[in-house]
Amino acid sequence: MTDEPENLTLRLLQELRQEMADMRSDLREMRSDMREMRKDLTQRVNGLAIMLTSVAGIMHDHEERIEKLEFR
């Protein structure tokens, strides 16, 4: 009878250890996924910045052309 509480305690500790190991594994996967998402978002933001710069240049060019036409 005295062995039962020890066995139960050991079993619970083993289960906790396994759950913690599973959680660590899940966290590693989540970190990896988040790194990939961050890379993707960085690429998208960089692409948007290039497009905005291009649009700003085109708008500036159009503004100059319009000003030249207005002063004729």
Side-chain angles (χ1 to χ4, degrees):
M1 207 51 145
T2 58
D3 289 336
E4 285 184 35
E6 275 187 36
N7 288 339
L8 180 59
T9 302
L10 288 174
R11 193 171 348 129
L12 289 173
L13 288 172
Q14 289 169 345
E15 289 174 11
L16 284 172
R17 183 179 290 155
Q18 183 60 47
E19 287 177 16
M20 289 177 66
D22 293 344
M23 287 172 55
R24 282 189 200 106
S25 176
D26 291 345
L27 282 173
R28 279 189 212 102
E29 285 180 35
M30 288 172 53
R31 285 183 187 138
S32 176
D33 292 345
M34 301 227 8
R35 280 188 206 104
E36 291 298 318
M37 285 184 221
R38 187 176 67 192
K39 286 179 188 176
D40 182 53
L41 284 174
T42 300
Q43 289 175 346
R44 289 176 186 225
V45 168
N46 289 340
L48 288 173
I50 292 168
M51 289 188 334
L52 285 173
T53 302
S54 176
V55 168
I58 292 169
M59 287 181 64
H60 179 71
D61 183 49
H62 287 151
E63 288 172 0
E64 285 181 348
R65 291 171 139 190
I66 291 169
E67 284 179 14
K68 287 180 183 177
L69 289 172
E70 288 176 344
F71 287 115
R72 280 188 180 179

